[in-house]
Amino acid sequence: MLEKAVSVLDCFQEAGGSYRLAELTVRTGLSKTTVHRLAADLVRLGLLERSGDRYQLGGKLFELGTLVPRRLDLRESALPFLQDLFEATRETVHFGIREHHEVVYLERIHGHDVLPLPSRIGGRLPLTCTGVGKALLAFARPELLDEVLAAPLPGLTSHSLTDPARLRTEIEQTQVSGMAYEEQEATLGVNCIAAPVFAGGGTAVAALSVAVPMDRYRPAQLAPAVRTAALGLSRVLRNGV
């Protein structure tokens, strides 16, 4: 079904403009019923817009198009600091950004000791269950925390914080210390330390972390390395070098 949806979008990429349903049916070679269903779904997602009986590319598609190079630039800037953090700790390193109420992972570095983590490059996890997510949440627009706490809090393990009051307290502590901690909330037996990354202003554009098995979890040793990597990357992003 995804390939068929892409074939509908490809009609617009080739020539732009707007098309009636019958024209899209001819261009894609799909049935009218299928094209109608796909077009309705793409309109709902904001990838197409409908005006009368004609369809055209939606603003969301252009927004996604601008996000791709931004993500790539951010990841390229972050890689030297992520590699330094890995060399300093020899533990799994994560780098992610926020989209709505989720973390999107742009990079993950691990050694031979691969942890059974749910994170994947390009994958998403709840902000509230991950160190990276908590760092992003703590330094997002102020009203975001209220939005997150107003909805049911997801749980990935029995240790995930699903009590709004406890989570608010922890996020407020992160805002004071500049460091986020996650203990077995995404994966049993694994803890995480994270720090926000800034490009200017008080809103985090990304966050990075180390994930560590409980038997090697030494916050006093790991936190300075995480903080140093985040500060170094923030300095580069602010200076634009």
Side-chain angles (χ1 to χ4, degrees), residues 17-219:
S18 61
Y19 299 97
R20 292 187 174 89
L21 193 63
E23 295 173 298
L24 292 174
T25 300
V26 172
R27 284 178 169 271
T28 60
L30 302 172
S31 71
K32 184 176 180 179
T33 301
T34 298
V35 173
H36 183 271
R37 183 173 66 253
L38 291 172
D41 289 341
L42 292 169
V43 167
R44 178 175 53 80
L45 293 170
L47 302 180
L48 289 183
E49 293 176 355
R50 184 176 181 179
S51 178
D53 63 346
R54 302 186 74 89
Y55 295 86
Q56 62 186 23
L57 289 178
K60 188 66 175 179
L61 188 64
F62 294 110
E63 177 185 332
L64 292 174
T66 61
L67 283 175
V68 172
R70 183 174 69 85
R71 286 185 181 183
L72 292 175
D73 291 344
L74 193 56
R75 177 182 174 276
E76 288 300 314
S77 297
L79 271 174
F81 298 95
L82 302 178
Q83 291 164 349
D84 287 348
L85 181 57
F86 173 75
E87 291 298 327
T89 63
R90 308 306 294 181
E91 302 291 355
T92 299
V93 173
H94 287 114
F95 181 66
I97 60 173
R98 181 183 67 83
E99 281 194 5
H100 305 296
H101 294 182
E102 295 178 310
V103 178
V104 178
Y105 289 95
L106 302 188
E107 187 57 79
R108 170 179 163 177
I109 302 175
H110 57 75
H112 297 292
D113 183 13
V114 181
L115 300 177
L117 297 167
S119 55
R120 298 290 183 273
I121 295 176
R124 297 168 179 263
L125 287 175
L127 290 174
T128 57
C129 298
T130 64
V132 168
K134 289 180 183 179
L136 290 167
L137 182 57
F139 295 94
R141 51 186 174 83
E143 62 271 22
L144 181 67
L145 179 58
D146 292 332
E147 292 176 14
V148 169
L149 295 178
L153 296 177
L156 298 181
T157 75
S158 58
H159 293 268
S160 300
L161 294 182
T162 56
D163 174 45
R166 286 186 60 196
L167 181 59
R168 182 182 291 278
T169 297
E170 186 162 320
I171 294 301
E172 290 173 347
Q173 291 171 347
T174 297
Q175 291 169 340
V176 173
S177 69
M179 303 296 294
Y181 298 87
E182 175 251 303
E183 298 184 353
Q184 301 190 82
E185 296 165 53
T187 303
L188 293 177
V190 178
N191 292 349
C192 181
I193 301 177
V197 173
F198 302 93
T203 300
V205 296
L208 52 79
S209 72
V210 290
V212 186
M214 289 184 64
D215 61 354
R216 296 202 300 269
Y217 185 58
R218 305 288 185 273

